[in-house]
Every structure is written in structure tokens, then in C-alpha cells.
Amino acid sequence: MNTLRGWLASTLLGATIVFSSPTISAAQESEKPDPARAVMELIQKKEFAEASKAIKELEATQPKLPALRTLKVQWLASLRTGSPEGIDAAAEAKAMLEATRKAAMEDPDRIAELAGIANFALPVISQFGSSEDAISEAKATLALVDTPEFFKRGVQGYTTLRRTLATTLRQSGSNEEAAKVMIETINRLETFLKEAPDTKLLPSTLLNTMVVSLSFLPDADREAMQTKAMGLAERLLVESPSAESITAFTNTYGSLISSISRDTPEVAGELLKKAIKSLEDVAASDESLEKSATTSATSLKRIERSIEAALKQKEMIGKAAPAFDPMKWVNGEAIGQEELKGKVVLLDFWAVWCGPCIATFPELIKWHEEFSEKGLVIIGVTHEYGYVWDEETEKAKRAMDPTSVTLEDELAMLDKFIKFHKLQHRTMVTPKDSEMSNNYGVTGIPHVAVLDQDGKVQLIQIGSGPQSAARIEAKIKELLKL
């Protein structure tokens, strides 16, 4: 995020403002206020209404200002986390999207801009308006770009836009329609690849879209798409070896292997060996591509650690849970492992800096409310990270000197953080040298372990999102016989 802010700041501050008066000297011009900087400051101060007015004024007076598109995106992105007051965020986002659609109709080359605005505007419309409005806007945008003219103007912009629309449909519960949008996108890309095989970035865009589509497809269709994507990546690497095809092959296999490594680590391991062998063959047969292929093979080898962890996690299922290792407890009294016999236990390994962890909080609250009286005990597991509580922003932040944060400071921060997010379950803080996370096979968070009434591990689930939540809830209900 800091990198993004730095990039935005450098982009905006570096924008060149062209004034119509030829009599203005360079010195006088440098003294003039930078409108882009002024708008950016309004956004940073969360003065969204004033920022909106300023952006509209810039559109009317300086429509070709280089920083204008960046300002719009930053304004939309800030709305989602800024609790906007005195402004109808959904209506403003809808108006901005409609204006961008109109501009794209007049100039199809602006499809990339339309994709960027839609990517941020649709979530704002859904969050502050309704999912129905977001779907309506998504379909209106889709109807506009579903033409050969738009498709050929910008393959990546077109694909990004359709992916955004599919995401909006899925978030509103229209899963089948979202999957249909992704399949249609792949079909169009495949057709265009046959008609214009030399189009730059088209093969890699197609492969990337195939990989992304896996999260939209039902389980019954996922394996076929995986096989299709790997076949295309392999064919491109063999028939058209180049730096681009090597990158596309590596990204495709890397994403697919990572996606299946948790559930089927044995299969992932075999695919990894195959992918590395293919890259090594390219390195051996073409000296000009040796460095690129070797670097890519080395990159793929990093997945081995995840596969090893997944194998360890798989071996844990049905076995006695490793020992707990609490140093301190927050948001509740201490509880021992023996006291939990007869209960279904959900261990949630998390951290205050982990966005995906925070995204799971609504489910954790829901499960506590629905199942705690039926035999479920939820326990958070975290440790010291050198964070303190910022009273002004009401957020946890990393201390300038993390080593100066005492355990008491960290516990006080956790207490306020947990209360702010209205979590009801207790959390244990493990010692810095604790092996508990390693013993539970934690390689990334959020990481959930569900233990049965006999203290045996019955589920390991990593990550956030609807599919992850559905698997955890299904296992809870199964163990509670609900």
C-alpha cells in the first residue's frame, strides 16, 4: 500500500499542466497551484464531496489532464474504506461509470479507462447502494463492450472488464451467471487467438483468464479447465518458445499447482516435476532462452515448501491435535486443552496486519452466535508483531521500533482491536519461540484447524472467501450433527 501511495503521489506530482496563456513564464507557471495535487489532498483528508466536485471541474476544463484517470480511481478506492459522509457514494460512482461508458462509446480506445473505472466503481455501488444496482451497471457495461470493435481495441482491458463484471455477479449471489461470463470470455479469446495468433499478450491473457476462471466454475467443470490451460501452456512453450511463452507457462503452472497443492499435494508434486522438466528442456535446447527458462524453473521450485506443508497437513487429519502453547489470553479466560474434550474446537491462526484474516471476522462472529451454545468453541491464535493501537485512526499499526513494544502494550492493542471488530471468542498469544504454528502446518494465514469432540484434527482450511467459509461451516455442522 505504501508503494502504491508513493507511485500515485509521484504520478500526480509529476503531471504536466498545460495553460492556454502564452504569456505565462516558467517561474510564474511553477507558482500556480497544481490541481491534481489539490484533489489528491482532498481525497487523503477524506473530503469526498469536495474531491468529487474538483474532479468534475477538471473533467470539464482539462479533460486530457494525465492525472485525471488516476484521481478517479483513487477517489473510488478511498470511498470503500473512508466511511464517506455528506455524499451519496453509490450515486456518485454510478454517475462516474456512466460518464466513462459514454466516453468509451465515442472513443473505443478508452476501453482500458472504462475497465479501470468499472473495477472500482462497481464494488462502491454494491457496498453503498445495492447488489441489484451493481448488477444492472455491470450488465450495461458488458452490453457496451461485447462488440468486435471493443474487443480488438484492447484485449487486456476487455478481459479485465469482463472479469470485474463476473466478480460483481458472483458477489451478489449470481454464481452461474458469473461463471457463464468467464466461459464466454475464454471462448472469445480462443476464437481471436485462431484469427490473429500474433496479437501481443493474447496467449498469456487467455491463459491467465483460464486460471482466474477456476474460482468461478463449479467443481465438476474445474478439472477440465485446469487440463485445458496446462495443455495450452505446454503447447505454446514447445511450439513457440520465447520469453513470453516461458512466462505464461510458468505463471499458469505455478497458479494451478498452488491452487491444488492443499487438497491434492501428491498430484501437485507430480505436476511440479513435469513443469520444471519442461523448462529445463527449453533451457538445454535454446541458448538464448537458457537464462529465462532456468530462472522460471527456480521460481517454480519455491512451491515445493507449500506442497510439503500440505502433505504434513493431510497427515494430521484424524490424528490427535498438537498441544496448545498459550502465553497469554485476550478477550476471555484461559482454557486448557483437556477442558475442551467433548467440544468442537475451531483454531483460527491470524494476525492484526492480515487483511484476509480480517475478512473472515463476519463468519467467525456468525459461527460463534449460531453454534457456541451447541458445542463449538472458537479460539484465535496469534503472537507478538510489534504493533500498537492508533486511537485517532482506530487501527493497529506497526510501531516505528517494534522491539520497543512490550507484551503489555501488545496485549492492550489486541484487546482494543478485538473489541473494535466485535469478536466474541477468546484469543491466545503464543510465545515468540513457539512451535505451535509449525506443528499445525501453518504456512500462511488465515489458517483454520477444526478439532472434533475427541481432540482430533478433522479439517485444515487455509485462506478466506466463500468457498473456504462454506467448507468450514459444513465441517462444523457435520461434527455437531446439525
PDB file of all heavy atoms in Angstrom, residues 1 15 129 179 185 225 247 343 352-353 364 423 463 478:
ATOM      1  N   MET A   1       0.831  -1.203   0.000  1.00  0.00           N
ATOM      2  CA  MET A   1       0.000   0.000   0.000  1.00  0.00           C
ATOM      3  C   MET A   1       0.861   1.247   0.000  1.00  0.00           C
ATOM      4  O   MET A   1       0.592   2.210  -0.694  1.00  0.00           O
ATOM      5  CB  MET A   1      -0.930  -0.025   1.216  1.00  0.00           C
ATOM      6  CG  MET A   1      -1.862   1.183   1.278  1.00  0.00           C
ATOM      7  SD  MET A   1      -2.922   1.342  -0.173  1.00  0.00           S
ATOM      8  CE  MET A   1      -4.064  -0.003   0.162  1.00  0.00           C
ATOM      9  N   ALA A  15       2.568  15.260 -13.003  1.00  0.00           N
ATOM     10  CA  ALA A  15       1.689  15.578 -14.116  1.00  0.00           C
ATOM     11  C   ALA A  15       1.984  16.974 -14.639  1.00  0.00           C
ATOM     12  O   ALA A  15       2.247  17.887 -13.876  1.00  0.00           O
ATOM     13  CB  ALA A  15       0.228  15.503 -13.657  1.00  0.00           C
ATOM     14  N   GLY A 129     -24.864   1.104  -2.244  1.00  0.00           N
ATOM     15  CA  GLY A 129     -26.176   1.088  -2.873  1.00  0.00           C
ATOM     16  C   GLY A 129     -26.817  -0.259  -2.673  1.00  0.00           C
ATOM     17  O   GLY A 129     -27.251  -0.598  -1.580  1.00  0.00           O
ATOM     18  N   ALA A 179     -20.065 -17.450 -13.779  1.00  0.00           N
ATOM     19  CA  ALA A 179     -19.289 -18.491 -14.467  1.00  0.00           C
ATOM     20  C   ALA A 179     -19.498 -18.417 -15.973  1.00  0.00           C
ATOM     21  O   ALA A 179     -18.562 -18.600 -16.763  1.00  0.00           O
ATOM     22  CB  ALA A 179     -19.702 -19.872 -13.945  1.00  0.00           C
ATOM     23  N   THR A 185     -15.872 -15.310 -22.045  1.00  0.00           N
ATOM     24  CA  THR A 185     -14.630 -14.559 -22.242  1.00  0.00           C
ATOM     25  C   THR A 185     -13.542 -15.463 -22.802  1.00  0.00           C
ATOM     26  O   THR A 185     -12.828 -15.091 -23.746  1.00  0.00           O
ATOM     27  CB  THR A 185     -14.156 -13.947 -20.913  1.00  0.00           C
ATOM     28  OG1 THR A 185     -15.206 -13.162 -20.364  1.00  0.00           O
ATOM     29  CG2 THR A 185     -12.934 -13.061 -21.121  1.00  0.00           C
ATOM     30  N   MET A 225     -11.038 -27.512 -17.038  1.00  0.00           N
ATOM     31  CA  MET A 225     -10.412 -26.226 -17.360  1.00  0.00           C
ATOM     32  C   MET A 225      -8.938 -26.235 -16.981  1.00  0.00           C
ATOM     33  O   MET A 225      -8.087 -25.672 -17.694  1.00  0.00           O
ATOM     34  CB  MET A 225     -11.147 -25.091 -16.647  1.00  0.00           C
ATOM     35  CG  MET A 225     -10.617 -23.698 -16.981  1.00  0.00           C
ATOM     36  SD  MET A 225     -10.717 -23.305 -18.754  1.00  0.00           S
ATOM     37  CE  MET A 225     -12.504 -23.076 -18.927  1.00  0.00           C
ATOM     38  N   THR A 247       7.160 -17.204 -19.611  1.00  0.00           N
ATOM     39  CA  THR A 247       6.478 -16.522 -18.508  1.00  0.00           C
ATOM     40  C   THR A 247       5.053 -17.008 -18.375  1.00  0.00           C
ATOM     41  O   THR A 247       4.571 -17.282 -17.265  1.00  0.00           O
ATOM     42  CB  THR A 247       6.485 -14.999 -18.741  1.00  0.00           C
ATOM     43  OG1 THR A 247       7.836 -14.542 -18.796  1.00  0.00           O
ATOM     44  CG2 THR A 247       5.763 -14.281 -17.621  1.00  0.00           C
ATOM     45  N   LYS A 343     -16.060 -30.914  23.047  1.00  0.00           N
ATOM     46  CA  LYS A 343     -16.415 -29.730  22.276  1.00  0.00           C
ATOM     47  C   LYS A 343     -15.795 -29.815  20.876  1.00  0.00           C
ATOM     48  O   LYS A 343     -14.757 -30.443  20.671  1.00  0.00           O
ATOM     49  CB  LYS A 343     -15.892 -28.454  22.957  1.00  0.00           C
ATOM     50  CG  LYS A 343     -16.408 -28.235  24.375  1.00  0.00           C
ATOM     51  CD  LYS A 343     -17.831 -27.741  24.363  1.00  0.00           C
ATOM     52  CE  LYS A 343     -18.284 -27.351  25.763  1.00  0.00           C
ATOM     53  NZ  LYS A 343     -19.695 -26.854  25.770  1.00  0.00           N
ATOM     54  N   VAL A 352      -3.104  -9.205  13.245  1.00  0.00           N
ATOM     55  CA  VAL A 352      -3.810  -7.935  13.090  1.00  0.00           C
ATOM     56  C   VAL A 352      -3.511  -7.259  11.752  1.00  0.00           C
ATOM     57  O   VAL A 352      -4.295  -6.442  11.268  1.00  0.00           O
ATOM     58  CB  VAL A 352      -3.459  -6.949  14.240  1.00  0.00           C
ATOM     59  CG1 VAL A 352      -3.968  -7.475  15.567  1.00  0.00           C
ATOM     60  CG2 VAL A 352      -1.956  -6.666  14.293  1.00  0.00           C
ATOM     61  N   TRP A 353      -2.371  -7.575  11.135  1.00  0.00           N
ATOM     62  CA  TRP A 353      -1.987  -6.947   9.871  1.00  0.00           C
ATOM     63  C   TRP A 353      -2.509  -7.707   8.658  1.00  0.00           C
ATOM     64  O   TRP A 353      -2.316  -7.280   7.513  1.00  0.00           O
ATOM     65  CB  TRP A 353      -0.456  -6.856   9.768  1.00  0.00           C
ATOM     66  CG  TRP A 353       0.263  -8.125  10.131  1.00  0.00           C
ATOM     67  CD1 TRP A 353       0.856  -8.421  11.321  1.00  0.00           C
ATOM     68  CD2 TRP A 353       0.445  -9.286   9.311  1.00  0.00           C
ATOM     69  NE1 TRP A 353       1.406  -9.687  11.293  1.00  0.00           N
ATOM     70  CE2 TRP A 353       1.164 -10.229  10.066  1.00  0.00           C
ATOM     71  CE3 TRP A 353       0.072  -9.614   8.014  1.00  0.00           C
ATOM     72  CZ2 TRP A 353       1.507 -11.495   9.563  1.00  0.00           C
ATOM     73  CZ3 TRP A 353       0.407 -10.856   7.505  1.00  0.00           C
ATOM     74  CH2 TRP A 353       1.120 -11.778   8.279  1.00  0.00           C
ATOM     75  N   LEU A 364     -16.634 -15.700  11.591  1.00  0.00           N
ATOM     76  CA  LEU A 364     -16.300 -16.139  12.948  1.00  0.00           C
ATOM     77  C   LEU A 364     -17.356 -15.655  13.950  1.00  0.00           C
ATOM     78  O   LEU A 364     -17.758 -16.409  14.854  1.00  0.00           O
ATOM     79  CB  LEU A 364     -14.923 -15.605  13.348  1.00  0.00           C
ATOM     80  CG  LEU A 364     -13.724 -16.190  12.576  1.00  0.00           C
ATOM     81  CD1 LEU A 364     -12.460 -15.425  12.909  1.00  0.00           C
ATOM     82  CD2 LEU A 364     -13.560 -17.674  12.879  1.00  0.00           C
ATOM     83  N   LEU A 423     -15.327  -9.080  17.963  1.00  0.00           N
ATOM     84  CA  LEU A 423     -15.113 -10.519  18.057  1.00  0.00           C
ATOM     85  C   LEU A 423     -15.511 -10.987  19.450  1.00  0.00           C
ATOM     86  O   LEU A 423     -15.229 -10.321  20.443  1.00  0.00           O
ATOM     87  CB  LEU A 423     -13.645 -10.865  17.785  1.00  0.00           C
ATOM     88  CG  LEU A 423     -13.131 -10.525  16.381  1.00  0.00           C
ATOM     89  CD1 LEU A 423     -11.640 -10.843  16.283  1.00  0.00           C
ATOM     90  CD2 LEU A 423     -13.906 -11.271  15.317  1.00  0.00           C
ATOM     91  N   GLY A 463      -6.937 -19.748   4.033  1.00  0.00           N
ATOM     92  CA  GLY A 463      -7.448 -18.684   3.182  1.00  0.00           C
ATOM     93  C   GLY A 463      -8.840 -18.233   3.565  1.00  0.00           C
ATOM     94  O   GLY A 463      -9.504 -18.812   4.432  1.00  0.00           O
ATOM     95  N   GLU A 478     -21.326 -30.859  10.496  1.00  0.00           N
ATOM     96  CA  GLU A 478     -21.162 -32.320  10.461  1.00  0.00           C
ATOM     97  C   GLU A 478     -20.758 -32.845  11.840  1.00  0.00           C
ATOM     98  O   GLU A 478     -21.330 -33.833  12.337  1.00  0.00           O
ATOM     99  CB  GLU A 478     -20.097 -32.685   9.434  1.00  0.00           C
ATOM    100  CG  GLU A 478     -19.754 -34.172   9.386  1.00  0.00           C
ATOM    101  CD  GLU A 478     -18.506 -34.464   8.574  1.00  0.00           C
ATOM    102  OE1 GLU A 478     -18.262 -33.740   7.575  1.00  0.00           O
ATOM    103  OE2 GLU A 478     -17.761 -35.398   8.939  1.00  0.00           O
TER     104      GLU A 478
END
